[in-house]
Amino acid sequence: MIINHNITALNTHRQLSSNSAATSKNIEKLSSGLRINRAGDDAAGLAISEKMRGQIRGLDMASKNAQDGISLIQTAEGALNETHSILQRVRELSVQSSNGTNTEEDRKALQSEVGQLKEEIDRIGNTTEFNTKKLLNGALKTAGASVGLDSTTGTAVGKQTAAVATATATMKSAALVGTNDFVSEKIKIDGTEIKVDWQNLSTDEQNVITAGTGTGATATGMKAAAELIVSKINDAIDKSGANVAHISGYVDADKLVLESGSKGTTSEIKTASATASIAGKFLGAAGAAATNLGTSTYNGTTVATGSKFNFQIGDTKLQAVLTGDIDNTKSMKDAATQLQTDINTAIAAANVAAGASKDGDFGYIKNVKVNAQSDGRFEIVSESGPINLEDLAGKSTVKDLGLSQAQTDASGNGGVTFQIGANKGQSITFGVNDMRSAALGIAGVDISTTAGASGAITSLDKAISSVSSERAKLGAVQNRLEHTINNLNTSSENLTAAESRVRDVDMAKEMMEQTKNNILAQAAQAMLAQANQQPQGVLQLLR
């Protein structure tokens, strides 16, 4: 019999501790109602749950946003209802004034009322607002607006490479550096000048660099020199505090090669001069600066000359025709320039057809700009509203250019944007035209003469039609938002149910577990008492 180590008691105590810990967790889950109270309960489940919670709260807020949007639309539409009534009254007065039974004095009296009614239309247009946002004075007009930009960005089709600076001469050609060359030097990396103090190198470090050049340089010596140069440049980057990625370097065909740590159109390595100091001496030749920019090359599916695609800006539908191949022989910048030219050619033709020659003319569309993004995507910037691209039936031009799933972001384009989704880009934008008398074409209505009254009827018919069209547009958007709200609420409800299955505890199952663990803990406690009694049996041997 052993008394120094009560193995039975130790085992029972371990089981008791385990059961007690499990019971504690059961109680925690039952009291909180959550299966996951901390990341340790289910790390993956917590991450999934938090992601879902972000979407749920986003959907709920988007639903509120849509409700606010409906309120804004109802405010504008309610004001236009009065504008409609006023226009109908003015038309009625115009018809009355056109009658030959009226005297000149009668028509002056009628015109007096028309003048007041026109002023009321302007007052409504100038003062109708929602949350201090003017609605009917043209501030929300989108057609031809130049107060902001719509940026449409596609998926990546460009291949980005890092900047590579390669020496023009081999490290073994001559003794490139001497003791007097270890001075301060500036190296431009990704647009930022980095100062490298080579004079701070120790004698041993200078010897490593010196031994890496000349006819007697070995492969090991050249490699050691390259590694030391790269190390000191990266130390200088760290010391500068600049947001510049570390460079890398190696020896290729006995030539030093330095490569930037970033990729894209801004990638760059440039030494001040071949005679400046260490990096310049190693890379340069005949005093020329060593420089090589990273490239951005089109890397998508080849799109041939003559390929067509449809696009729409505002209510205008157009078609662009590519005037040259876009393939991997072109840089992203050149491809963007060509795409810009071809789109603007179609826009110019549409402006001619509409009889619009300058900004401000009805139906005029401004030229777009196509940029090559540093991450290999095309970006189309429009001042005349969002641009939507679509392939012709059976064709894939837009898809091949990475624009089939283009994302449009509105930035103060003169309209109003409603965020009706939980994520970026899930929004709708619409405009409200200027609804004042001048924009409606009735500012000059004068019914004080028979001819003026007769001509005013035509102007008023057009104005009434314009207001009707605007109200119809607002009503359509309102109906759309009502369906949006229903969809958002349904999505939020279903996503909440899914999140609950991940995060919440099954109370009945957890109570079963708690009961089991509680009984086991009590049993272990009782057994621990029994185990502690066992060693006392040894006392019988001492009698």
Side-chain angles (χ1 to χ4, degrees):
M1 299 182 70
I2 299 171
I3 62 170
N4 281 333
H5 295 88
N6 190 342
I7 303 302
T8 303
L10 290 174
N11 179 269
T12 305
H13 180 267
R14 179 174 58 82
Q15 297 288 353
L16 174 60
S17 299
S18 176
N19 293 332
S20 297
T23 301
S24 178
K25 287 188 176 181
N26 294 142
I27 294 173
E28 180 183 37
K29 292 178 181 179
L30 289 170
S31 60
S32 68
L34 297 174
R35 184 179 69 86
I36 304 174
N37 289 282
R38 60 180 64 84
D41 293 335
D42 184 351
L46 177 68
I48 294 170
S49 172
E50 289 298 335
K51 182 180 179 181
M52 286 183 172
R53 285 187 174 185
Q55 293 296 300
I56 292 167
R57 294 179 68 169
L59 289 169
D60 291 341
M61 184 51 68
S63 179
K64 295 177 184 177
N65 289 347
Q67 291 280 9
D68 290 341
I70 290 176
S71 297
L72 181 148
I73 290 172
Q74 289 175 333
T75 301
E77 204 268 331
L80 290 180
N81 181 53
E82 290 307 311
T83 300
H84 245 158
S85 298
I86 293 171
L87 290 173
Q88 293 288 6
R89 174 57 180 166
V90 174
R91 189 182 190 282
E92 182 182 28
L93 293 172
S94 297
V95 172
Q96 181 182 357
S97 181
S98 299
N99 194 22
T101 61
N102 293 297
T103 66
E104 184 178 347
E105 291 299 320
D106 293 335
R107 292 191 177 94
K108 285 183 179 180
L110 293 172
Q111 176 59 28
S112 177
E113 182 178 350
V114 168
Q116 291 295 320
L117 292 174
K118 287 193 297 182
E119 288 185 11
E120 181 59 19
I121 288 177
D122 288 339
R123 190 199 66 80
I124 291 173
N126 287 322
T127 62
T128 300
E129 58 183 37
F130 181 85
N131 192 28
T132 71
K133 183 187 290 291
K134 302 292 184 182
L135 303 180
L136 305 177
N137 67 348
L140 301 185
K141 182 180 179 182
T142 55
S146 59
V147 296
L149 303 173
D150 283 289
S151 175
T152 302
T153 308
T155 55
V157 291
K159 181 180 180 181
Q160 309 294 317
T161 61
V164 178
T166 305
T168 55
T170 66
M171 298 171 70
K172 297 176 67 174
S173 61
L176 296 177
V177 296
T179 305
N180 295 330
D181 292 317
F182 292 97
V183 295
S184 179
E185 177 180 23
K186 289 183 178 179
I187 303 175
K188 182 174 285 188
I189 303 174
D190 296 340
T192 301
E193 283 194 347
I194 303 298
K195 182 180 179 181
V196 186
D197 294 321
W198 300 108
Q199 72 269 23
N200 293 334
L201 296 182
S202 67
T203 301
D204 289 340
E205 289 174 330
Q206 291 183 17
N207 291 337
V208 168
I209 293 179
T210 303
T213 67
T215 56
T218 64
T220 302
M222 289 187 288
K223 180 181 178 182
E227 290 177 348
L228 181 57
I229 290 172
V230 170
S231 174
K232 293 305 177 182
I233 293 176
N234 286 334
D235 287 345
I237 291 175
D238 294 337
K239 184 178 179 181
S240 72
N243 185 23
V244 175
H246 277 192
I247 69 166
S248 58
Y250 51 91
V251 178
D252 181 34
D254 295 339
K255 294 181 180 180
L256 176 65
V257 180
L258 298 182
E259 184 172 328
S260 72
S262 64
K263 298 180 179 181
T265 54
T266 59
S267 182
E268 175 187 56
I269 292 183
K270 183 176 181 180
T271 58
S273 169
T275 60
S277 188
I278 304 303
K281 288 260 185 182
F282 269 76
L283 295 173
T291 178
N292 190 300
L293 301 183
T295 58
S296 173
T297 306
Y298 177 77
N299 199 43
T301 304
T302 298
V303 182
T305 302
S307 298
K308 301 177 181 179
F309 60 88
N310 295 328
F311 66 97
Q312 181 172 336
I313 299 179
D315 296 327
T316 306
K317 296 182 179 179
L318 309 98
Q319 186 176 93
V321 182
L322 295 185
T323 55
D325 292 347
I326 295 181
D327 53 30
N328 58 13
T329 65
K330 272 190 168 70
S331 68
M332 280 293 287
K333 182 179 179 181
D334 290 341
T337 299
Q338 181 189 317
L339 195 57
Q340 174 179 301
T341 300
D342 295 339
I343 292 176
N344 286 335
T345 298
I347 290 175
N351 285 334
V352 171
S357 60
K358 63 183 185 301
D359 188 21
D361 289 349
F362 181 77
Y364 181 78
I365 302 175
K366 290 188 175 183
N367 282 346
V368 303
K369 293 182 179 179
V370 181
N371 303 316
Q373 298 287 79
S374 60
D375 57 358
R377 300 185 292 172
F378 287 121
E379 177 195 50
I380 307 174
V381 180
S382 168
E383 293 186 33
S384 300
I387 179 169
N388 300 304
L389 302 101
E390 182 183 52
D391 269 317
L392 277 67
K395 303 297 181 181
S396 60
T397 303
V398 173
K399 179 182 178 182
D400 294 340
L401 291 172
L403 296 169
S404 60
Q405 298 179 351
Q407 171 81 48
T408 298
D409 291 329
S411 175
N413 66 343
V416 59
T417 300
F418 297 147
Q419 177 68 29
I420 56 170
N423 303 314
K424 176 184 177 182
Q426 295 177 349
S427 59
I428 62 171
T429 301
F430 75 100
V432 182
N433 289 321
D434 192 340
M435 290 287 105
R436 294 173 294 184
S437 61
L440 293 173
I442 61 167
V445 165
D446 187 346
I447 63 171
S448 59
T449 64
T450 303
S454 180
I457 294 175
T458 301
S459 298
L460 287 164
D461 284 340
K462 291 181 179 179
I464 290 171
S465 177
S466 295
V467 176
S468 297
S469 176
E470 204 66 24
R471 291 184 68 184
K473 180 176 69 177
L474 292 173
V477 176
Q478 178 178 336
N479 290 339
R480 175 182 176 180
L481 289 175
E482 288 174 352
H483 289 294
T484 296
I485 291 170
N486 293 335
N487 178 51
L488 289 170
N489 291 341
T490 301
S491 298
S492 176
E493 177 184 342
N494 291 327
L495 197 54
T496 300
E499 195 270 339
S500 176
R501 287 190 290 272
V502 174
R503 195 72 171 257
D504 295 339
V505 70
D506 183 331
M507 297 294 285
K509 181 179 179 181
E510 199 63 31
M511 290 181 70
M512 291 168 51
E513 289 292 321
Q514 192 270 341
T515 301
K516 180 194 74 173
N517 290 328
N518 192 37
I519 292 174
L520 288 174
Q522 294 180 43
Q525 188 174 11
M527 292 304 99
L528 182 59
Q530 293 292 327
N532 286 335
Q533 290 295 326
Q534 281 186 346
Q536 293 184 13
V538 75
L539 296 176
Q540 299 296 325
L541 301 176
L542 301 176
R543 291 180 178 179

